[in-house]
Amino acid sequence: MQIRDLPYPDPGDPDVRSGPRFLFWLGRNQLRGQLKSMSWGLLHQCSLAGLPPAVGFAVQAVVDRSGSRLAWAGGLIAVLGVLIALGDTMLHRTAVTNWITAAARVQQLLARKTAELGAALTRRVAAGEVVAVSTGDVEKIGWFVEALSRFAAAAAALVLICVGLILYLPSLGVLVALAMPLLALAVLPLLPRATRRADLQREKAGKATELASDTVAGLRVLRGIGGEELFLGRYRRASQEVRKAAVRSARMWSLISAIQVLLPGVLLISLVVYGATLARDGRIEVGQLVTVYSAASLLLFPLRHFEEIAMAYSFSRPSAQRAVRVLSLHRTDRPSTVDATPTGDLYDPVTGLMAPAGLFTAVVCGDPDEAGRLAERLGGHAHADADGDSDEAGNGNGAKDSTENGAHDSTDDAASERKTPSVLLGGVPLDELPLDSARTAVLVQDKDPVLLSGTLRELLDVPSSGRVTAKDALSAAQCGDVLDSLAQASVATDGDPMTTRITERGRSLSGGQRQRLALARSLVTDPEALVLDEPTSAVDSHTEARVAAGIKALRQGRTTVAFASSPLLLDLADRVVLVHRGTVVAVGAHRELLHTDPRYRAVVTRETDDEIAVLTSQDALKRIRTIEEIEERA
């Protein structure tokens, strides 16, 4: 796999039993790249190891005053220099390729899991942790995969050089061969403590990242309630804890580095003293001493890779563990017995809410949170808690995009058994549909939908039935002013609003403009059933009336459910349903319910409890007088 071949057609099925197993799976899936990198590393290391004999040969040639041997030694050193340069260049190239391709594989796995889980992801994993995994943790994992091949090449070169020294000069080669394992394993007792400190640092850094992410996401709310300084103080404390943990971790790694310098220095001094004694006694030649000393000095280079692989593993293991926590999440979809996407009435057995096929149904709830939960359940997004009640713990920002059509969240098997009854579409439970069919059948648009960065054409390029054009959807959502503002901003694209880039989350647009563009995106999708949670809450009354009329006209003959309390929208609905305390209590037309149901009137007209009590008593008196009149006539 080369960088130009990315992304992977299929990133594979990862081993998510543990962090180390995931790292091993990554290395195994890049075996070809690892072997290639290891081969170039061996060429580089062995070429370096060839320099000491060549230098020793040259020194001995000078001592013996042999010009021909000196020329041969010079040529050999030149050839080795070329091989060292080639091996080092290709080793770096292949190792970095391994790093990037491993990081890309993890990124693809995370992206696939995010798309699979949808709204369930942020309920089960903190948003900040997802950000930390997809950024810093991916880099740490790639570092370990990249360092693995270089470590393998260094270890193989170390063994080959030690064997070669023993064969070349046993009196000094044995000393070097015995010392190398001690040097490589000397820091092993310190690694668990260093790893624990690194884990603590990563944990604190992850919490700080989560806090920063949550603070940025809620900055507008924090400013509204004056909570900026409070959260700023919390982040300062969290960042100081990260700094202290990083300093403690660095102290341990500096101790390991010091040992890696001290012990090889002791070896070299011992080697020089013992070798000089042997050379003085005439037992070895000066060239042989230079050869062994040079080889021992160069052995310190591959020894550094032992320290690097230990550091890479200590930092990548917690990163891999966090990646595994995300990648091990899954949906517990039931085996489907339905071949085609069903059509018909949308019915919620929990509340008794019925949305007849082909009609525009408006739902009124006194509690906005209850309306949000009911909207999610209609899309199959119900989340069962320990008591079996619906519990939506995740925040609303980006929980479901308009392309995340009615897919139910996964829970564990025990929670699934306690889950509330599934919503029915045409008599078929949504949780028995395949995921693709469920997303095609029902689309839920949040109260605060998300606009991803890109052009307007890309925003509206979503899976759809093909029956609704982007022009019709934009017209129905009353996006004329949005198109005008985008056209003015698209100087580089000849005033075409469809090619104008929209910034992340549509920050360059007003709240009403973002809401209407999201509505247009939902209308383009044209699902069998469309569920809208407060689709006109951010627009003025005049625009709201036109948007409501546009929705009804464009969705003619399709099932549409809108959660709202605005009389302008309710008056255009085919039927209105009042949900009170989790149960449908009234069904009818808007004007009819205004006159007959005081609870409905209280929600729609914003009447107080005292006004409701007065109106309720007046209705009771009217009913009593009517009964008395009937009795008198009888």
Side-chain angles (χ1 to χ4, degrees):
M1 171 63 69
Q2 299 295 323
I3 296 177
R4 63 175 176 267
D5 299 325
L6 295 175
Y8 289 95
D10 179 12
D13 187 16
D15 188 343
V16 294
R17 288 176 290 178
S18 66
R21 288 179 182 271
F22 178 65
L23 292 174
F24 176 75
W25 177 84
L26 276 177
R28 187 183 62 193
N29 276 268
Q30 293 187 266
L31 187 59
R32 183 176 178 180
Q34 295 287 349
L35 291 176
K36 186 184 297 184
S37 182
M38 182 179 174
S39 300
W40 288 114
L42 278 173
L43 175 63
H44 177 238
Q45 298 284 354
C46 291
S47 299
L48 282 173
L51 282 178
V55 172
F57 186 66
V59 171
Q60 193 63 44
V62 171
V63 172
D64 296 339
R65 299 181 180 275
S66 174
S68 60
R69 284 190 293 167
L70 183 60
W72 276 105
L76 179 60
I77 291 175
V79 171
L80 290 174
V82 173
L83 293 178
I84 290 172
L86 177 63
D88 193 22
T89 302
M90 296 306 298
L91 170 63
H92 179 75
R93 179 185 179 89
T94 53
V96 171
T97 299
N98 288 336
W99 184 337
I100 294 176
T101 52
R105 186 187 296 274
V106 178
Q107 286 279 23
Q108 281 188 249
L109 291 171
L110 291 171
R112 184 177 68 181
K113 183 59 65 174
T114 301
E116 175 188 338
L117 292 175
L121 179 62
T122 52
R123 297 192 186 99
R124 302 172 67 180
V125 179
E129 183 171 353
V130 177
V131 173
V133 170
S134 59
T135 53
D137 288 335
V138 167
E139 182 180 353
K140 297 296 186 298
I141 293 171
W143 176 28
F144 174 76
V145 173
E146 179 260 346
L148 190 60
S149 57
R150 289 192 285 112
F151 164 73
L158 202 64
V159 173
L160 291 176
I161 294 172
C162 287
V163 172
L165 287 177
I166 293 174
L167 297 176
Y168 175 72
L169 191 61
S171 56
L172 292 180
V174 171
L175 175 62
V176 175
L178 292 177
M180 282 302 136
L182 297 177
L183 296 181
L185 303 177
V187 297
L188 194 60
L190 298 178
L191 288 180
R193 182 177 298 181
T195 301
R196 286 195 298 270
R197 292 189 180 186
D199 290 351
L200 181 62
Q201 178 194 352
R202 295 296 301 167
E203 180 183 353
K204 290 184 179 295
K207 290 181 179 179
T209 303
E210 292 175 19
L211 180 60
S213 176
D214 294 340
T215 302
V216 172
L219 189 58
R220 184 174 298 178
V221 177
L222 292 176
R223 286 176 176 172
I225 63 177
E228 289 178 273
E229 289 299 325
L230 175 63
F231 274 79
L232 182 59
R234 290 182 181 177
Y235 183 73
R236 282 198 184 105
R237 290 192 295 272
S239 63
Q240 287 301 313
E241 290 180 2
V242 174
R243 181 187 63 81
K244 293 177 182 177
V247 170
R248 293 185 71 246
S249 178
R251 285 174 180 169
M252 183 57 64
W253 287 111
S254 64
L255 177 60
I256 292 175
S257 298
I259 293 175
Q260 292 280 0
V261 173
L262 176 62
L263 294 183
V266 173
L267 170 64
L268 291 179
I269 293 174
S270 303
L271 188 62
V272 169
V273 173
Y274 181 59
T277 302
L278 294 178
R280 185 187 60 189
D281 296 340
R283 297 165 61 183
I284 63 173
E285 297 178 350
V286 176
Q288 290 178 319
L289 175 59
V290 172
T291 299
V292 176
Y293 176 82
S294 302
S297 301
L298 289 176
L299 282 176
L300 304 185
F301 181 73
L303 274 177
R304 295 175 185 172
H305 292 289
F306 284 78
E307 178 188 354
E308 182 188 10
I309 195 65
M311 290 184 65
Y313 180 73
S314 66
F315 280 96
S316 65
R317 188 177 61 83
S319 296
Q321 194 60 47
R322 295 210 291 185
V324 161
R325 269 203 303 272
V326 177
L327 295 176
S328 60
L329 301 176
H330 63 280
R331 291 183 180 273
T332 53
D333 294 326
R334 299 179 183 177
S336 176
T337 58
V338 182
D339 296 331
T341 302
T343 59
D345 300 337
L346 186 65
Y347 174 68
D348 176 29
V350 176
T351 60
L353 172 62
M354 170 71 77
L359 297 184
F360 184 12
T361 302
V363 181
V364 176
C365 292
D367 183 3
D369 292 334
E370 181 183 6
R373 289 192 294 268
L374 180 53
E376 291 187 344
R377 189 161 61 247
L378 287 177
H381 292 273
H383 182 68
D385 60 13
D387 299 325
D389 299 324
S390 179
D391 174 29
E392 299 297 340
N395 60 45
N397 294 337
K400 291 179 297 301
D401 192 73
S402 62
T403 56
E404 285 290 320
N405 304 358
H408 68 281
D409 294 336
S410 65
T411 57
D412 54 29
D413 294 336
S416 298
E417 294 177 359
R418 300 189 297 271
K419 189 168 62 173
T420 54
S422 173
V423 169
L424 306 178
L425 178 63
V428 179
L430 282 182
D431 61 4
E432 293 186 2
L433 291 175
L435 188 58
D436 293 342
S437 297
R439 289 181 172 179
T440 303
V442 183
L443 182 149
V444 179
Q445 178 176 297
D446 268 349
K447 187 181 303 182
D448 187 18
V450 174
L451 300 181
L452 302 178
S453 59
T455 65
L456 181 57
R457 179 173 288 110
E458 292 170 342
L459 175 70
L460 299 178
D461 185 17
V462 294
S464 64
S465 66
R467 288 182 287 191
V468 177
T469 64
K471 180 180 179 180
D472 293 339
L474 290 168
S475 176
Q478 301 301 312
C479 293
D481 63 317
V482 185
L483 296 177
D484 292 340
S485 63
L486 292 177
Q488 294 176 2
S490 61
V491 179
T493 55
D494 300 327
D496 184 3
M498 299 300 292
T499 58
T500 303
R501 289 196 65 81
I502 299 174
T503 57
E504 182 185 1
R505 292 181 176 268
R507 298 186 190 280
S508 59
L509 305 173
S510 67
Q513 290 175 328
R514 288 196 300 269
Q515 190 176 57
R516 281 176 284 153
L517 282 181
L519 175 61
R521 179 178 56 187
S522 300
L523 293 175
V524 166
T525 305
D526 190 37
E528 180 66 28
L530 176 62
V531 180
L532 305 171
D533 189 4
E534 296 287 354
T536 57
S537 59
V539 299
D540 58 83
S541 300
H542 180 65
T543 305
E544 182 178 30
R546 292 187 298 163
V547 170
I551 294 173
K552 183 174 181 179
L554 193 64
R555 294 285 298 172
Q556 190 71 34
R558 307 287 272 176
T559 307
T560 307
V561 180
F563 287 81
S565 58
S566 168
L568 294 173
L569 189 147
L570 297 173
D571 195 38
L572 289 174
D574 296 320
R575 64 200 302 268
V576 180
V577 179
L578 174 63
V579 177
H580 181 66
R581 294 182 179 178
T583 305
V584 173
V585 295
V587 180
H590 167 63
R591 298 178 186 273
E592 174 190 349
L593 293 176
L594 276 178
H595 291 88
T596 60
D597 197 300
R599 290 171 296 190
Y600 178 83
R601 186 165 55 246
V603 175
V604 175
T605 62
R606 311 295 195 273
E607 293 175 345
T608 64
D609 293 339
D610 293 337
E611 292 172 331
I612 295 174
V614 171
L615 292 172
T616 303
S617 61
Q618 290 176 351
D619 289 340
L621 289 174
K622 289 180 181 179
R623 291 174 184 174
I624 293 174
R625 290 173 184 170
T626 302
I627 293 173
E628 290 177 349
E629 291 176 359
I630 293 174
E631 290 177 348
E632 288 177 359
R633 292 174 183 175

